[in-house]
Amino acid sequence: MRLTVGVDARAAAEVPAGRGRYVRELLRAWSSLEDAADVRFLLYAREPWGELDPERFAWRLIGLPDPAWHLATAARASREVDVFLSTNSYLTAWFCLRPTAVVIYDLVPFVAGARAQSRAARIERATIRPALRRAAALPCISQATLDDLIARFPHAAAKASVIPLAADPAFSEPISRPGHPELDGPYVLAVGTLEPRKNLERLIAAWTSLPEEVRGEHVLALVGPRGWDDAPILAAARDAGARLLGRVSDEELRALYAGASVFAYPSLYEGFGLPVLEAMAAGAPVLTSNVSSLPEVAGDAALLVDPLDTGAIAAGLRRLLTDPRLRSELGERGRARAREFSWERTARETLALLRGAAGRR
C-alpha cells in the first residue's frame, strides 16, 4: 500500500536559511530517492516552493496565520496522511491525529547563556511538553541536540534518534569567481543572523585586538540578515570597519566561502551549525566553538576555541592568518569531513523513521 507523508513545508518558501534550508534540501533529496518512489508527499504551507513532481508532491495551501494554521493543518492532515513530519513548530503535533514526527533542532530556550530570542523562547517553552508526549518520533539533528533534549526531558529518550544534516553538494563545486563584488581584497568571513547567540561582538573584539601586521590587508566580512538585539553588533562592526553584506543568495554565499582566508563561527550554541559544514565543503579553513554540536560537526577539520574567551578567539584567528600550511591542511580536512554527510542519507533515514512511525516497512 502506498504511504502518504504529510510535511509542514512552510519554511521552504518563508525561511531563507536554517529550517528553510532543511526543508528545501529534504524535498530535493526525496524527489530523487529510490526508496521514496512509493511515497506520496502532501506539503502543507502558505505558499508553494520549487518545481517538484506533481504526481508525488502535492501542495496543500492554507492561508492562515499562526496559531490557526496549525489547527487547520492538523485537522486536514488527520484526514489525508498516514504520518506527519512537523518541521517548524511543536504546536501541530498537539492536534494531529496521525503519527507525528517532530524535528528537534536545538534546545536554545532551555540552555543558560544561549541568548534565545525572547518571544520565540516563550513559545517553545510553552509548547514543547505536549508535543513530546504526543509525538511518535523525535528526530534530532545532532547528538548534542539529543543529549540536551534527554537531559531536560528524560521521558523523550525512547522516541529520540539522531539524523544529521548535510551541506548542499554545490558548495564543493569549483567557483570561477570566489569572493564578492564588495570585497576587493582578502577577508575573514562570518555568516549568520546578526543576533547575540552568534557571538559576533566577541568575534569583532577579537579581530580588532589583532595587530595590523597579523590582519594585513584582510577585512572582516559579516554575512546575514539583521536579527534581534543587534544594535551593539552593528555599532561594533562599524567601529571595527567590518563589511556588512546583509543577506546574500546561495550562489553568492558559495563564492564567499570559497574565497575566504578564514571562516569564523564562534557561536555560543548550535543545534547543528550548518554554515560550518558548508564552509568546509567549499574548502575554507574554519575556526569555530568547542561547545554544543560544533565539535561533533567539525570533527578534526576545524580549529576549536572557547567562544566565551575573546583572547582564545583572537589567538585562533592569529594562528590561522599567520600559518598558510595550517589553512591549507584544514581546508583539505574540511572537504573530506563534509563528504561524510549527505542530504541523501538525511532523506533516507528520515523516510525510514516515518515508515516506522506509520507502522509501514
Side-chain angles (χ1 to χ4, degrees), residues 290-311:
N290 61 3
V291 299
S292 65
S293 65
L294 293 164
E296 175 186 345
V297 173
D300 67 350
L303 188 61
L304 303 179
V305 299
D306 179 354
L308 298 177
D309 186 341
T310 301

Side-chain angles (χ1 to χ4, degrees), residues 39-54:
V39 180
R40 185 170 185 242
F41 296 94
L42 300 186
L43 309 179
Y44 296 84
R46 296 186 182 97
E47 56 183 300
W49 168 85
E51 296 182 3
L52 300 167
D53 180 358

Side-chain angles (χ1 to χ4, degrees), residues 100-120:
T100 300
V102 179
V103 180
I104 310 295
Y105 297 97
D106 58 56
L107 275 293
V108 169
F110 303 90
V111 175
R115 307 289 297 274
Q117 199 271 345
S118 58
R119 181 177 181 274

Side-chain angles (χ1 to χ4, degrees), residues 108-110 116 118 120-129:
V108 169
F110 303 90
S118 58
R122 288 196 300 271
I123 292 171
E124 291 200 19
R125 286 195 290 263
T127 57
I128 189 172
R129 287 173 176 83

Side-chain angles (χ1 to χ4, degrees), residues 5-342:
V5 172
V7 181
D8 177 350
R10 288 172 299 155
E14 294 181 11
V15 183
R19 299 179 184 194
R21 187 174 295 280
Y22 169 81
V23 174
R24 290 189 296 273
E25 296 292 355
L26 195 60
L27 296 180
R28 286 192 189 107
W30 274 337
S31 69
S32 57
L33 188 69
E34 290 185 5
D35 293 358
D38 65 335
V39 180
R40 185 170 185 242
F41 296 94
L42 300 186
L43 309 179
Y44 296 84
R46 296 186 182 97
E47 56 183 300
W49 168 85
E51 296 182 3
L52 300 167
D53 180 358
E55 292 188 5
R56 296 177 55 212
F57 296 86
W59 290 95
R60 296 289 192 262
L61 302 183
I62 299 174
L64 295 173
D66 296 344
W69 187 91
H70 300 282
L71 276 72
T73 295
R76 187 165 182 179
S78 297
R79 300 190 300 268
E80 295 181 324
V81 308
D82 300 307
V83 63
F84 189 83
L85 181 65
S86 182
T87 65
N88 203 28
S89 174
Y90 295 125
L91 191 55
T92 318
W94 287 27
F95 306 103
C96 189
L97 302 181
R98 297 297 184 180
T100 300
V102 179
V103 180
I104 310 295
Y105 297 97
D106 58 56
L107 275 293
V108 169
F110 303 90
V111 175
R115 307 289 297 274
Q117 199 271 345
S118 58
R119 181 177 181 274
R122 288 196 300 271
I123 292 171
E124 291 200 19
R125 286 195 290 263
T127 57
I128 189 172
R129 287 173 176 83
L132 296 180
R133 287 195 298 269
R134 292 188 60 85
L138 300 168
C140 302
I141 63 173
S142 68
Q143 184 64 47
T145 291
L146 185 147
D147 292 343
D148 285 344
L149 176 69
I150 301 311
R152 290 157 180 83
F153 305 100
H155 64 279
K159 301 177 183 180
S161 61
V162 177
I163 303 179
L165 312 185
D168 184 338
F171 285 107
S172 62
E173 296 173 358
I175 298 292
S176 58
R177 289 188 175 182
H180 191 275
E182 293 186 29
L183 302 174
D184 53 6
Y187 58 92
V188 170
L189 178 67
V191 170
T193 301
L194 304 185
E195 48 100 345
R197 182 166 52 91
K198 300 305 179 183
N199 205 26
L200 295 171
E201 286 184 77
R202 285 194 183 90
L203 173 61
I204 294 167
W207 174 254
T208 57
S209 74
L210 295 174
E212 287 188 14
E213 61 268 24
V214 173
R215 285 186 283 172
E217 297 181 353
H218 287 82
V219 298
L220 179 63
L222 307 181
V223 169
R226 293 190 59 176
W228 55 95
D229 296 337
D230 61 1
I233 300 169
L234 295 171
R238 286 193 295 268
D239 291 344
R243 303 288 181 86
L244 293 164
L245 301 181
R247 195 190 300 277
V248 300
S249 68
D250 286 354
E251 184 178 353
E252 290 173 314
L253 183 59
R254 291 194 292 270
L256 281 161
Y257 283 139
S261 297
V262 175
F263 175 68
Y265 198 76
S267 178
L268 298 174
Y269 178 91
E270 294 291 329
F272 188 85
L274 190 53
V276 167
L277 205 60
E278 293 171 345
M280 292 196 299
V286 172
L287 177 148
T288 192
S289 303
N290 61 3
V291 299
S292 65
S293 65
L294 293 164
E296 175 186 345
V297 173
D300 67 350
L303 188 61
L304 303 179
V305 299
D306 179 354
L308 298 177
D309 186 341
T310 301
I313 299 171
L317 291 172
R318 175 193 288 266
R319 186 178 173 194
L320 286 170
L321 288 171
T322 59
D323 191 341
R325 180 177 295 181
L326 177 61
R327 293 201 303 272
S328 177
E329 180 181 336
L330 288 181
E332 290 304 312
R333 283 191 203 169
R335 289 184 186 276
R337 178 66 175 170
R339 287 194 292 269
E340 296 177 18
F341 300 80
S342 76

